Amino acid sequence: MYIKQIIIQGFKSYKEQTVIEPFSPKHNVIVGHNGSGKSNFFAAIRFVLSDAYTQMGREERQALLHEGTGPAVMSAFVEIIFDNSDDRFPTGKPELILRRTIGSKKDEYSLDRKNATKSDVMNLLESAGFSRSNPYYIVPQGRITALTNMKDIERLTLLKEVAGTQVYEARRTESLKIMTETNNKRAKIDELLDYIRERLAELEEEKEELRDYQDKDKERRCLQYTLDAREQNLINVELDKIEDLRQNGVEDTEENQERRLQVDRDIVEIEAEINEAKQQIDFLKVDKKQFEAERRDTARAKAKIELDVKGLSDNQKAAQETKERHQYELKSIKSSIQEREQELDEVTPGYTIKQREEATIKSELENADTTRQRLYAKQGRNARFRSKRERDDWLRKEIDESYPQLAKIKAVRMQTAEEITELEKEIAGAEEPIAILRQQLEQRGSSNDTMQNQVNTAQTERDQLMDERKELWREIDKLESVIKNTQHELNRAEQSLSHRMDRDTSRGLAAIRRVKQQENLKGVYGTIAELFTVSERFSTAVEVTAGNSLFHYVVDNDQTATKLLEMLHRDRAGRVTFMPLNRLKPKTANIPKTNDAIPMIEKLQFDSLYEKAFQQVFGKTVICPNLPVAAQYAKSHGVTGITLGGDLSDKKGAFTGGFHENKNSRLDAVRNITKLRDDYETHTNRSTSLKRTLDQKDQEITRAVGSLKRLEQSRHRQESSYGPIRQELQGKIVTLQDCRDALNAKHRAKAKIHLNEQALAEQQSAHEAEISSDFKKALTQAEETQLENLSLTVQDLRRQYSEVSANRSELESRKSELELELRENLRPRLEQLNAQEYENQDSGRGSNLRQSQQELERMNGAMKVTERKLQETEESLDQLIGQVVELEQRHSETRRQREDIEKSIERQQRSMEKSIRAKTTLSKAAVDVNNRIRDLGALPQEAFDKFKNMKSDAIIKRLHKVNESLKKYSHVNKKAFQQYDQFTNQRETLTKRRAELDSSQASIEDLISVLDQRKDEAIERTFKQVSREFANVFEKLVPAGRGRLVIQRKTDRAQPDDEESDEDRRESVENYTGVGISVSFNSKHDDQQRIQQLSGGQKSLCALALVFAIQRCDPAPFYLFDEIDANLDAQYRTAVAQMLHSISHAKSSGGATDGQFICTTFRPEMLLVAEKCYGVRYVGKSSSVVAVTREDAMEFVQGEKQ
């Protein structure tokens, strides 16, 4: 074992924390300037390990703290870390950390970071080899000089201390003190024995006279006992009667108290029912108000719809008449159109035939007329031209000119044919849209009905959602009222509970509950009272057992508890006792296994997670039927016994009990608060859920309203689209008729173009044929004949054409009239009537009577539902009001019952008080009688039977005579026999005690002799060991010399230089007067010199040799030397350094070194053999210790020499 490391802070000159680099287990040397803090370093070690700094006052402790500029140092500590690899300290750890902390008001030790007492530290140090009788393992400055200047007697005292004679001296002093006390006791016993002998002689004379007195007194006592016994029996009879009355009264009182408790519970239940009924009444009043408002709103809406229905009904009648007229006119127009179309159908075929006939005749007429004209032209051309050539040229010219005309006619014919094709396509394309538009108009009614049904469905859905929202509003209002009432009740209950506990505890619990909710802390479970349930039968016993532990707070571990404590301290929020489950270690109780001792913890229901907490509070408590049984188990098993009524007996024998007011039960208050909190949380969660549902319902209503608006807009767009459809249909019909008229015109134009083309072609053919004919001045015979025939034919055809044309014109005129009437009159009128019908239908749907009637039916249904709900609400309200009246009557009756019970209890209490007063009086009389009987003393057997049958009056007369006769014995010592016996017994006791004191004195004298012998042996043994080791050490330090210790005796004053081994002239160690030192530095055979004759360096070397010798006799695990080589010569400094080196490198039997050395020096010799070197620096008025190299240390020492 050795010092591994030292940490200093705030001690003397070491202001800042100084952590010194680990020391070598061998030889360590510290250097530094004077005043740098070397001596303070050794003082710090002595401060921890030695007795030098004990019994210090405040000023002395303050002197050890660092003083300097800057903030004041309030405390200091020195910590020494020991290497314990050899298990010299019995801790089982490889290191031991020893710290001493000091301040102006404190002085504390700690071992391995745990607080310890000074005695623990000193005992541990002594167990590791630190001898308190040998303080020379620490040699501060001046100790060597003090040894050098010691006198012989002082050296002897030093050897006695090393030998441990202080223990023997202390025990010898104590034994002498006891022996002195024993002698004093013997003297007192002798005095008492002399007095007792004299007093016994006097009492022998008084005994005869006392015998006569005792006979009379015996008779007196027998008579007095008979009277007192009779009085005692009478008193006992009266007391028994009173006790019976009291017991009956107690039973009646307990019964009445039970009845009162039951009545109190009934009152609480009735009040709860009244509050609940009143709350329901408030809810029903709110519902009634809402239903009445709904009824008014529904009635107003119903009245408005009824007016609309009435107006629509009136309008429907007028519309029906208009419709009938419209239908009649429509039917008439359709009939006329049908007649005209039928007539047109009949005219059109004849017209077509006549038209074809006319076209044929006209074609024949034009062909005949053309041929005739051509013959006439040919006839004229023959006269016109002089030659064939001239004629042919003119014909060719005509033919050439006719080609462009023919081409143009063909082009016009082709264009007309294309236009006819386009018109036919356009007509065919226009007919289908017209049919579609007609179909849309015809299907408009069913589309409007479908759209109206969708709108009605959307309105119904919207109204249903709004009704559901109203119900949600109503329920939320109810819940808000319930939450408000519950919050009020909870606050009142918490306030009531806070009045039953400490104010700081109440504030602390409230703060923890608030923080737990805000931060959602885990591992914060609750108070003991909140974590269990128990039958009401055991509630009183459980509450009395727990006491204030009901409000101890259970948490998972000490970290959570620390966090909450810091919060309470920070916020100044009260005080709470925490129960960290990881720290609780409840002890197993010795619970009796009997039927009349029920473990209380078995009657509690709680989560197994909190097992430790409940074992800690309730694990050592049993429930017993009565207090004597509880006291018996408390004494025999070391448990706490408690009755169901709350009377308690603990293991120390103390009883606690009395009346327990259940009305003020804190456990019931906690249960009530827990129930209210659960109700509040349930209602709050329900309210939050309903509000979320209400938000969802609002969104659904918004969507339903949006959907309804979109449907109404679609219906409006559909209704408003029929006017454009009708206009579009009318336009398309007009366009179709125009196309048909244009088609007819194009067909006629095409026929005319065809005739022109045919005539032109025939003219070309005729011209070409004429070119090929001979040139003659007149027509040929055939041509003449043809011309004549043609003239007749033309006349006939013109007549036919005129007839056919007249018929065709007549038919065409009728046909045009019919078509014109249909197109311009009848069909437009039909369209107009149809449009009016559609408009009437549209306007009718805008304020649809059926829809209004449906709305009216819905309103009637809503009104009935509202009326039904209102009626049910009123009935419930009347029922609840009646119930409240009934409950209030019950409440009044119950309170009267309670008053009657209290009056009965009060009467019983007065009666019991009266009985108690009487019992007190009788008990006092009984005590007086018992005292009188007891004062009579031991009675003879005849006292119980001799005067048993004598009357009381006769006993009183006889007692009077006996008392008169006893007056002549007034001077007699009535206690002579008793005193004689007492003095005899006392004499025997004192005689035995004196014999014991004689024996004790002999034992003490033997002990003192043994102690003196052992002390002498220890001194002799120590002197021999120290003397032998001194000679060896001196021989090593001074190889050429020799040294020895010389014991000084009273009988040796004439021969001080005799050998210590000459024991024949020594009678006892008490003859020792001192220890001298005799040395020779030059020779082992020269005369030796006494230490007083040596130089200063030689004296210091002798002193060092003595220190080493003492250390060898009582070795320590390490040594601290402060400048022990300061006064030595160079050669001796080298010898001392070599000795330290050899000791520190020597191995003990366990393999460790013989000792660790920590030295300070200003000399180089120790540095040369040191394992590690350290330097002490003083910078900024603060010291520090740092490791330095041997070269730096040598350089510092050399610098100091210069």
Side-chain angles (χ1 to χ4, degrees):
M1 185 198 73
Y2 62 90
I3 295 178
K4 188 175 182 180
Q5 196 172 21
I6 298 175
I7 302 173
I8 308 172
Q9 178 176 327
F11 185 83
K12 289 192 173 183
S13 61
Y14 293 87
K15 179 181 181 181
E16 304 298 333
Q17 188 179 86
T18 300
V19 180
I20 303 172
E21 184 175 317
F23 290 101
S24 168
K26 299 178 181 178
H27 190 193
N28 304 270
V29 175
I30 300 174
V31 298
H33 296 288
N34 286 327
S36 62
K38 297 191 303 299
S39 297
N40 290 340
F41 171 75
F42 280 92
I45 299 176
R46 293 172 63 208
F47 168 70
V48 178
L49 299 179
S50 70
D51 293 333
Y53 296 92
T54 57
Q55 304 297 327
M56 292 185 295
R58 181 173 180 177
E59 293 181 356
E60 293 173 317
R61 290 197 298 269
Q62 188 68 36
L64 296 179
L65 302 179
H66 176 80
E67 294 182 356
T69 59
V73 176
M74 304 305 296
S75 66
F77 72 86
V78 179
E79 181 176 289
I80 301 177
I81 302 174
F82 293 97
D83 180 276
N84 192 34
S85 56
D86 55 356
D87 290 329
R88 196 158 183 172
F89 288 113
T91 62
K93 297 181 181 179
E95 285 185 352
L96 177 72
I97 302 174
L98 174 60
R99 173 187 283 200
R100 184 178 181 184
T101 304
I102 195 170
S104 58
K105 296 182 179 180
K106 66 177 180 179
D107 188 1
E108 301 172 346
Y109 285 89
S110 68
L111 288 170
D112 288 333
R113 312 297 185 194
K114 296 180 181 178
N115 290 337
T117 62
K118 182 179 178 181
S119 61
D120 293 338
V121 173
M122 294 305 168
N123 292 335
L124 183 66
L125 291 175
E126 288 190 3
S127 68
F130 294 89
S131 176
R132 300 178 67 178
S133 61
N134 177 16
Y136 283 92
Y137 64 91
I138 301 177
V139 181
Q141 280 188 17
R143 179 67 61 86
I144 300 299
T145 303
L147 284 172
T148 301
N149 298 326
M150 271 186 178
K151 297 179 181 179
D152 291 347
I153 185 62
E154 293 173 344
R155 292 193 193 93
L156 178 61
T157 302
L158 174 61
L159 283 179
K160 289 181 178 180
E161 290 178 0
V162 173
T165 58
Q166 292 179 348
V167 176
Y168 298 114
E169 290 292 341
R171 294 184 64 182
R172 188 176 190 277
T173 302
E174 184 180 357
S175 299
L176 289 173
K177 181 179 178 182
I178 293 173
M179 190 166 66
T180 302
E181 293 175 354
T182 302
N183 291 330
N184 293 335
K185 291 178 181 178
R186 288 171 63 191
K188 290 181 180 180
I189 289 173
D190 291 340
E191 292 177 2
L192 286 173
L193 287 173
D194 294 339
Y195 170 75
I196 287 171
R197 293 188 188 98
E198 295 175 0
R199 185 64 182 143
L200 285 175
E202 295 175 357
L203 290 174
E204 283 289 343
E205 299 176 358
E206 297 175 354
K207 283 166 58 178
E208 292 299 326
E209 189 177 11
L210 181 60
R211 285 191 181 93
D212 296 336
Y213 168 79
Q214 286 178 342
D215 292 338
K216 294 290 184 181
D217 185 66
K218 181 171 70 173
E219 184 179 2
R220 179 191 67 79
R221 288 188 292 119
C222 290
L223 292 169
Q224 185 66 45
Y225 171 75
T226 303
L227 290 174
D228 292 340
R230 290 178 181 179
E231 183 179 358
Q232 186 181 43
N233 291 332
L234 292 175
I235 291 172
N236 290 333
V237 170
E238 292 296 325
L239 285 175
D240 291 339
K241 292 180 180 179
I242 292 174
E243 180 62 24
D244 292 339
L245 292 175
R246 187 195 70 81
Q247 188 64 33
N248 294 331
V250 168
E251 293 176 357
D252 293 340
T253 301
E254 291 178 352
E255 182 180 354
N256 286 331
Q257 287 177 349
E258 290 293 331
R259 288 176 57 202
R260 184 177 64 177
L261 291 176
Q262 183 60 41
V263 169
D264 289 338
R265 286 193 288 269
D266 293 341
I267 289 174
V268 172
E269 292 178 359
I270 292 172
E271 288 176 349
E273 292 179 4
I274 291 174
N275 292 332
E276 184 177 359
K278 287 183 177 180
Q279 189 176 27
Q280 293 297 326
I281 288 173
D282 294 337
F283 293 159
L284 291 174
K285 286 181 179 179
V286 173
D287 291 344
K288 180 181 177 183
K289 187 176 180 181
Q290 292 177 349
F291 288 143
E292 288 176 346
E294 289 182 9
R295 183 175 63 179
R296 287 194 299 272
D297 295 339
T298 306
R300 284 196 293 268
K302 178 183 176 184
K304 182 179 179 182
I305 293 174
E306 286 176 347
L307 290 175
D308 292 341
V309 170
K310 186 176 182 302
L312 288 172
S313 299
D314 295 339
N315 292 336
Q316 189 180 26
K317 293 179 181 179
Q320 186 66 30
E321 294 175 358
T322 304
K323 183 178 181 182
E324 290 177 356
R325 290 195 301 272
H326 180 271
Q327 291 294 332
Y328 176 76
E329 185 176 0
L330 184 62
K331 183 178 180 182
S332 177
I333 290 296
K334 287 182 178 180
S335 178
S336 298
I337 290 174
Q338 186 177 3
E339 291 176 357
R340 298 299 186 275
E341 287 179 348
Q342 184 176 2
E343 185 180 356
L344 183 60
D345 291 338
E346 293 175 356
V347 170
T348 299
Y351 168 74
T352 304
I353 294 170
K354 293 298 181 181
Q355 189 179 27
R356 284 198 297 268
E357 227 178 282
E358 181 184 15
T360 302
I361 295 172
K362 185 178 181 181
S363 177
E364 292 177 357
L365 177 60
E366 287 179 353
N367 289 335
D369 191 50
T370 300
T371 304
R372 192 182 68 166
Q373 291 297 330
R374 189 172 58 254
L375 291 174
Y376 282 135
K378 181 179 179 182
Q379 186 180 12
R381 280 194 300 272
N382 289 336
R384 181 180 170 188
F385 296 109
R386 294 187 293 271
S387 63
K388 184 177 185 297
R389 181 178 180 185
E390 185 177 354
R391 185 201 65 183
D392 292 341
D393 291 337
W394 182 84
L395 289 174
R396 289 191 182 93
K397 182 180 178 183
E398 286 296 325
I399 291 171
D400 294 336
E401 288 179 357
S402 66
Y403 280 123
Q405 293 179 1
L406 183 60
K408 185 176 181 181
I409 291 171
K410 288 182 178 179
V412 171
R413 178 176 58 79
M414 292 176 64
Q415 184 178 358
T416 302
E418 291 176 358
E419 291 176 354
I420 289 172
T421 303
E422 290 178 0
L423 284 172
E424 289 175 348
K425 290 180 179 179
E426 187 174 353
I427 290 170
E431 290 175 350
E432 184 177 357
I434 290 173
I436 293 173
L437 291 174
R438 287 184 185 278
Q439 184 179 5
Q440 288 181 356
L441 289 174
E442 292 172 357
Q443 294 177 352
R444 180 181 60 171
S446 61
S447 299
N448 285 346
D449 291 340
T450 303
M451 184 61 68
Q452 186 62 42
N453 290 334
Q454 293 178 358
V455 170
N456 293 338
T457 303
Q459 287 177 344
T460 303
E461 182 181 356
R462 178 203 61 187
D463 295 340
Q464 183 178 358
L465 289 173
M466 294 181 73
D467 291 340
E468 292 175 358
R469 183 172 65 178
K470 288 180 182 178
E471 291 296 329
L472 286 174
W473 282 342
R474 192 174 294 114
E475 191 169 356
I476 288 173
D477 291 339
K478 291 180 182 178
L479 273 177
E480 291 296 333
S481 177
V482 171
I483 290 171
K484 184 177 179 181
N485 292 335
T486 306
Q487 180 68 42
H488 177 70
E489 292 294 328
L490 179 59
N491 292 337
R492 190 169 66 180
E494 288 178 345
Q495 186 176 7
S496 175
L497 180 61
S498 67
H499 292 160
R500 303 177 197 175
M501 70 173 79
D502 181 66
R503 180 173 177 271
D504 289 337
T505 303
S506 175
R507 291 174 55 238
L509 292 175
I512 292 173
R513 187 161 54 249
R514 182 178 63 255
V515 171
K516 179 182 178 182
Q517 292 175 352
Q518 292 175 354
E519 301 183 8
N520 193 21
L521 295 178
K522 303 297 183 183
V524 182
Y525 302 124
T527 61
I528 289 290
E530 296 170 346
L531 298 178
F532 75 94
T533 57
V534 65
S535 173
E536 188 174 354
R537 182 184 176 209
F538 303 101
S539 295
T540 301
V542 170
E543 182 173 352
V544 172
T545 299
N548 290 331
S549 297
L550 281 174
F551 306 108
H552 289 181
Y553 216 95
V554 181
V555 295
D556 55 352
N557 52 49
D558 48 357
Q559 289 84 0
T560 303
T562 302
K563 181 178 179 181
L564 292 173
L565 285 172
E566 290 175 352
M567 180 275 296
L568 292 175
H569 183 72
R570 182 184 68 246
D571 298 340
R572 297 182 179 179
R575 299 177 64 82
V576 176
T577 300
F578 291 97
M579 300 182 74
L581 294 177
N582 67 324
R583 290 284 188 176
L584 296 179
K585 296 180 180 178
K587 297 180 180 179
T588 303
N590 183 18
I591 302 296
K593 307 294 184 180
T594 58
N595 295 329
D596 56 354
I598 303 172
M600 178 174 287
I601 199 167
E602 293 181 359
K603 299 301 178 181
L604 307 180
Q605 291 80 42
F606 54 88
D607 195 320
S608 59
L609 176 63
Y610 317 126
E611 176 75 25
K612 291 183 179 179
F614 283 92
Q615 286 289 349
Q616 184 81 13
V617 178
F618 303 104
K620 297 182 179 179
T621 304
V622 295
I623 302 174
C624 302
N626 51 54
L627 196 57
V629 174
Q632 177 183 352
Y633 286 124
K635 182 178 180 180
S636 62
H637 289 75
V639 296
T640 299
I642 190 167
T643 65
L644 293 176
D647 296 334
L648 182 144
S649 174
D650 60 19
K651 61 183 179 181
K652 295 181 180 179
F655 284 7
T656 304
F659 176 69
H660 186 81
E661 182 60 69
N662 292 328
K663 186 170 64 176
N664 297 326
S665 172
R666 295 187 292 180
L667 197 57
D668 291 341
V670 171
R671 289 173 180 166
N672 186 32
I673 289 174
T674 302
K675 179 180 178 298
L676 289 173
R677 282 181 186 153
D678 293 340
D679 293 343
Y680 179 77
E681 185 175 357
T682 301
H683 296 326
T684 304
N685 294 335
R686 175 63 177 162
S687 177
T688 304
S689 176
L690 287 177
K691 287 178 181 178
R692 286 198 297 267
T693 305
L694 180 62
D695 293 337
Q696 296 175 359
K697 197 64 66 179
D698 288 337
Q699 295 174 2
E700 292 177 5
I701 290 174
T702 302
R703 289 195 295 270
V705 171
S707 177
L708 178 60
K709 287 183 178 179
R710 288 193 295 272
L711 288 173
E712 288 179 344
Q713 291 172 358
S714 299
R715 185 184 67 178
H716 180 70
R717 285 196 303 270
Q718 182 175 336
E719 290 175 351
S720 61
S721 67
Y722 292 129
I725 290 175
R726 287 193 298 272
Q727 293 176 2
E728 184 180 0
L729 176 60
Q730 188 66 32
K732 287 185 179 296
I733 291 173
V734 172
T735 302
L736 179 61
Q737 188 62 40
D738 292 341
C739 289
R740 287 175 177 171
D741 293 342
L743 181 61
N744 291 332
K746 290 295 181 182
H747 278 297
R748 288 193 298 271
K750 181 180 178 183
K752 188 175 181 180
I753 292 169
H754 180 69
L755 291 175
N756 290 335
E757 182 183 3
Q758 186 178 4
L760 187 58
E762 290 178 355
Q763 185 177 358
Q764 281 183 339
S765 300
H767 285 166
E768 288 176 355
E770 188 177 355
I771 290 174
S772 62
S773 65
D774 295 337
F775 182 72
K776 293 179 178 181
K777 293 296 185 178
L779 297 174
T780 64
Q781 187 64 34
E783 287 176 344
E784 287 289 345
T785 302
Q786 182 181 8
L787 182 59
E788 290 177 2
N789 293 331
L790 285 173
S791 295
L792 294 174
T793 302
V794 166
Q795 290 178 359
D796 186 41
L797 288 172
R798 281 181 180 170
R799 181 183 55 78
Q800 293 178 9
Y801 178 75
S802 296
E803 293 175 359
V804 172
S805 178
N807 292 332
R808 191 266 310 159
S809 296
E810 183 180 356
L811 292 173
E812 184 178 8
S813 175
R814 184 56 183 167
K815 176 176 176 289
S816 297
E817 287 176 3
L818 291 172
E819 289 178 349
L820 182 62
E821 186 177 4
L822 287 170
R823 185 172 65 249
E824 299 296 335
N825 186 10
L826 295 177
R827 284 177 178 163
R829 181 58 180 164
L830 178 62
E831 293 293 335
Q832 184 179 2
L833 290 174
N834 288 331
Q836 288 178 359
E837 183 181 8
Y838 295 148
E839 290 173 359
N840 290 333
Q841 291 176 356
D842 293 342
S843 61
R845 285 193 174 88
S847 56
N848 194 304
L849 177 62
R850 182 163 49 84
Q851 179 183 356
S852 299
Q853 290 174 344
Q854 292 176 353
E855 184 67 19
L856 182 60
E857 290 177 0
R858 192 181 68 81
M859 285 295 174
N860 287 329
M863 178 66 76
K864 290 180 180 178
V865 171
T866 303
E867 290 287 351
R868 179 175 54 78
K869 290 183 178 179
L870 183 59
Q871 184 179 0
E872 292 175 355
T873 302
E874 289 176 347
E875 292 175 356
S876 300
L877 191 59
D878 294 339
Q879 183 179 358
L880 284 172
I881 291 174
Q883 184 179 352
V884 168
V885 172
E886 182 182 352
L887 288 171
E888 288 179 346
Q889 291 176 354
R890 283 179 55 197
H891 186 263
S892 300
E893 293 176 0
T894 309
R895 292 190 70 86
R896 283 195 296 273
Q897 291 179 7
R898 189 179 191 280
E899 291 174 357
D900 294 340
I901 293 171
E902 288 181 346
K903 289 179 181 177
S904 176
I905 292 174
E906 186 177 356
R907 286 195 301 271
Q908 291 171 351
Q909 287 178 347
R910 286 198 297 268
S911 177
M912 289 180 67
E913 288 174 358
K914 184 178 179 181
S915 299
I916 289 172
R917 287 195 295 271
K919 181 180 179 181
T920 302
T921 303
L922 290 173
S923 298
K924 190 178 296 183
V927 170
D928 293 339
V929 171
N930 289 332
N931 289 336
R932 290 201 302 270
I933 292 175
R934 186 173 61 250
D935 291 341
L936 293 176
L939 296 171
Q941 183 63 33
E942 63 183 15
F944 302 102
D945 301 324
K946 185 175 182 180
F947 305 105
K948 183 176 181 181
N949 298 322
M950 185 180 289
K951 293 183 178 180
S952 297
D953 294 339
I955 292 174
I956 292 172
K957 291 179 181 179
R958 187 168 180 175
L959 179 62
H960 179 71
K961 292 179 180 179
V962 172
N963 286 331
E964 290 294 328
S965 63
L966 284 172
K967 289 182 180 179
K968 64 180 182 180
Y969 295 104
S970 59
H971 65 283
V972 174
N973 182 7
K974 300 177 180 61
K975 296 183 179 181
F977 289 108
Q978 182 180 0
Q979 289 177 353
Y980 186 85
D981 293 338
Q982 288 177 352
F983 281 116
T984 301
N985 294 333
Q986 191 173 5
R987 181 181 62 184
E988 294 175 357
T989 302
L990 291 174
T991 302
K992 293 179 181 179
R993 179 60 179 158
R994 193 180 188 289
E996 292 175 356
L997 290 176
D998 292 339
S999 175
S1000 175
Q1001 184 176 11
S1003 299
I1004 292 172
E1005 290 174 352
D1006 293 340
L1007 176 61
I1008 292 173
S1009 175
V1010 170
L1011 290 175
D1012 290 341
Q1013 181 181 356
R1014 290 182 180 177
K1015 182 182 72 173
D1016 294 344
E1017 291 174 355
I1019 294 172
E1020 289 285 346
R1021 182 173 60 254
T1022 302
F1023 175 75
K1024 290 178 180 179
Q1025 291 177 351
V1026 174
S1027 178
R1028 181 175 63 254
E1029 295 299 334
F1030 178 81
N1032 295 333
V1033 169
F1034 190 84
E1035 184 177 358
K1036 289 183 179 179
L1037 294 177
V1038 186
R1042 185 166 74 98
R1044 63 191 180 112
L1045 297 181
V1046 180
I1047 197 74
Q1048 302 291 336
R1049 301 181 180 87
K1050 294 178 181 178
T1051 57
D1052 297 340
R1053 295 185 183 276
Q1055 298 174 345
D1057 294 335
D1058 286 350
E1059 292 292 332
E1060 177 228 349
S1061 58
D1062 188 9
E1063 297 181 357
D1064 295 335
R1065 290 171 293 173
R1066 182 183 62 81
E1067 297 177 357
S1068 173
V1069 174
E1070 293 298 325
N1071 291 325
Y1072 293 172
T1073 59
V1075 175
I1077 297 176
S1078 177
V1079 294
S1080 172
F1081 282 86
N1082 298 323
S1083 173
K1084 295 183 181 293
H1085 304 289
D1086 291 345
D1087 292 337
Q1088 296 181 344
Q1089 296 176 316
R1090 304 300 294 268
I1091 192 170
Q1092 294 82 358
Q1093 300 170 336
L1094 302 177
S1095 64
Q1098 290 174 336
K1099 289 180 179 180
S1100 296
L1101 184 64
C1102 291
L1104 273 176
L1106 180 59
V1107 169
F1108 285 139
I1110 293 172
Q1111 289 175 349
R1112 285 195 173 189
C1113 292
D1114 189 6
F1118 62 86
Y1119 304 97
L1120 307 176
F1121 293 158
D1122 190 4
E1123 298 184 14
I1124 60 173
D1125 57 352
N1127 298 324
L1128 297 178
D1129 297 332
Q1131 58 177 343
Y1132 301 137
R1133 290 199 299 270
T1134 302
V1136 169
Q1138 289 298 328
M1139 175 169 283
L1140 295 180
H1141 180 74
S1142 62
I1143 294 174
S1144 64
H1145 283 73
K1147 297 293 183 179
S1148 64
S1149 60
T1153 59
D1154 278 347
Q1156 178 191 33
F1157 290 91
I1158 302 176
C1159 310
T1160 63
T1161 186
F1162 281 102
R1163 308 297 181 183
E1165 286 78 11
M1166 282 193 183
L1167 295 174
L1168 294 175
V1169 297
E1171 287 288 327
K1172 294 188 72 173
C1173 299
Y1174 298 85
V1176 181
R1177 299 173 181 173
Y1178 188 72
V1179 179
K1181 297 186 178 182
S1182 178
S1183 299
S1184 61
V1185 181
V1186 296
V1188 297
T1189 62
R1190 182 182 284 110
E1191 290 74 14
D1192 293 339
M1194 291 293 292
E1195 183 178 353
F1196 169 79
V1197 170
Q1198 296 297 331
E1200 285 294 312
K1201 284 184 177 181
Q1202 295 175 0

